[in-house]
Amino acid sequence: MIGRLYPRHPVVGVGVVVSYNNKILLIKRGNEPYRGYWSVPGGVQEAGETLEEAALRELREEAGIEGRVEGVVWVDEVIEYDGAGIKYHYIIIDVLVKPFNIEARAGGDAVDVGWFTVDEALKLKTTDTMRKLLLFLRENGFSKILPYTRAVILND
């Protein structure tokens, strides 16, 4: 099967880390995988879409927020096996976005949205990868952000 479930190749996921007033934006997932878990807004990058475009699209769809990509915060990988093989394989790239507005509203596949301190977020139901990101942010803040460079797009 080709796609997210039982993929032939890893799927690129983008997460969006938005910080305002010492809090980060989280959404509560309404769909699988991990329905009911809290995470940063995000989703799958589409073919032909830059990482920046994917991040800003997901942020707009799930939280109603516009912004500008500032850098790469975190890269992680999830591989989940079941009796049929590799059920999920995601490469997740979390980018830092400076928000242009902060009035968040749940949309897309998000059923709730809120601003949380890192310590508050660590008390929520999150995935292991989200927890690792939160622990990294608690330890380092935003001091270890990699710069984001725009995609190189080649046309014949």
Side-chain angles (χ1 to χ4, degrees):
M1 177 182 284
I2 297 173
R4 296 182 197 189
L5 197 61
Y6 303 103
R8 293 178 60 184
H9 304 285
V11 176
V12 178
V14 59
V16 186
V17 178
V18 183
S19 177
Y20 175 77
N21 204 22
N22 295 318
K23 294 187 176 190
I24 60 170
L25 179 72
L26 298 180
I27 58 105
K28 190 172 190 180
R29 298 179 56 83
N31 296 329
E32 295 296 345
Y34 306 110
R35 180 174 48 200
Y37 286 68
W38 288 89
S39 70
V40 293
V44 172
Q45 182 178 5
E46 298 171 1
E49 184 178 51
T50 67
L51 186 65
E52 177 180 34
E53 290 167 342
L56 297 177
R57 174 183 51 77
E58 290 290 347
L59 181 60
R60 187 173 40 259
E61 289 175 1
E62 295 184 351
I65 291 181
E66 301 286 340
R68 179 180 70 238
V69 173
E70 302 242 308
V72 176
V73 178
W74 186 254
V75 177
D76 208 340
E77 186 168 20
V78 176
I79 305 172
E80 183 178 324
Y81 295 89
D82 69 6
I86 299 171
K87 185 175 181 181
Y88 297 111
H89 187 173
Y90 288 100
I91 305 293
I92 304 165
I93 304 168
D94 290 315
V95 297
L96 177 65
V97 169
K98 180 178 181 175
F100 296 154
N101 59 302
I102 58 164
E103 297 300 320
R105 57 151 179 75
D109 62 357
V111 295
D112 200 1
V113 62
W115 293 95
F116 301 90
T117 66
V118 170
D119 288 331
E120 290 168 340
L122 283 165
K123 295 175 185 171
L124 299 172
K125 182 179 178 183
T126 65
T127 63
D128 291 341
T129 55
M130 183 67 214
R131 183 166 180 76
K132 287 192 295 185
L133 170 62
L134 291 167
L135 291 170
F136 173 82
L137 291 173
R138 185 169 71 181
E139 178 77 21
N140 300 288
F142 293 100
S143 64
K144 295 190 176 184
I145 305 303
L146 297 172
Y148 175 77
T149 57
R150 298 187 70 88
V152 174
I153 300 173
L154 304 174
N155 293 308
D156 284 339

